[in-house]
Amino acid sequence: QVPPIESGGELTQAGGSLRLSCAANGGSFNGYTVGWFRQSPTKEREFVAAMGDSGHVYYEDSVKDRFVISRDSAKKTVYLQMNSLKPEDTAAYYCAASQSVDLSNIRSPRGYGSWGHGTQVTVSA
């Protein structure tokens, strides 16, 4: 699969909401696991959320009660709805996909081989 394309990142205030989109490039995510990761100068790339092809979802503990990952019925776009944003959520957010992610690696960047370019989310205090 060619790399996915992320969009939706922007500057917002603490407590605000954003919805990020991850679009399949030229096809769909049918048969794929799709994950969201984030990275900043102050932290290594870390897991945020993921959705398996079956629709099962996974979350990092720090965002579990604030973020929601979802997918359209055609599996062409995966979304990350982010609510109650905090300054510490500031990062470049990346969408990644893989056709063969083991469950034990679903929370690791090493489990994914196809990465988007990234979209910047900045949350001001």
Side-chain angles (χ1 to χ4, degrees):
Q1 183 184 34
V2 298
I5 302 174
E6 312 100 325
S7 62
E10 60 183 68
L11 172 66
T12 192
Q13 299 287 328
S17 298
L18 289 173
R19 189 177 75 163
L20 306 183
S21 298
C22 174
N25 192 348
S28 76
F29 291 122
N30 187 38
Y32 284 78
T33 295
V34 179
W36 286 97
F37 296 80
R38 61 188 181 186
Q39 186 173 358
S40 76
T42 61
K43 60 187 178 185
E44 298 178 4
R45 187 166 298 190
E46 65 177 3
F47 172 77
V48 178
M51 176 176 285
D53 183 59
S54 67
H56 193 84
V57 299
Y58 307 83
Y59 294 100
E60 165 63 31
D61 287 344
S62 65
V63 308
K64 187 175 182 178
D65 297 322
R66 299 184 294 122
F67 293 7
V68 179
I69 188 170
S70 62
R71 181 179 63 192
D72 68 3
S73 60
K75 299 183 180 180
K76 291 184 177 180
T77 306
V78 172
Y79 303 96
L80 184 67
Q81 177 67 44
M82 305 186 295
N83 302 312
S84 301
L85 284 164
K86 305 175 181 179
E88 49 263 46
D89 294 319
T90 295
Y93 282 71
Y94 296 87
C95 178
S98 177
Q99 201 170 16
S100 58
V101 179
D102 290 337
L103 193 60
S104 61
N105 294 325
I106 200 166
R107 298 173 183 267
S108 172
R110 294 178 294 180
Y112 300 80
S114 183
W115 291 82
H117 185 71
T119 185
Q120 179 67 36
V121 172
T122 302
V123 184
S124 63

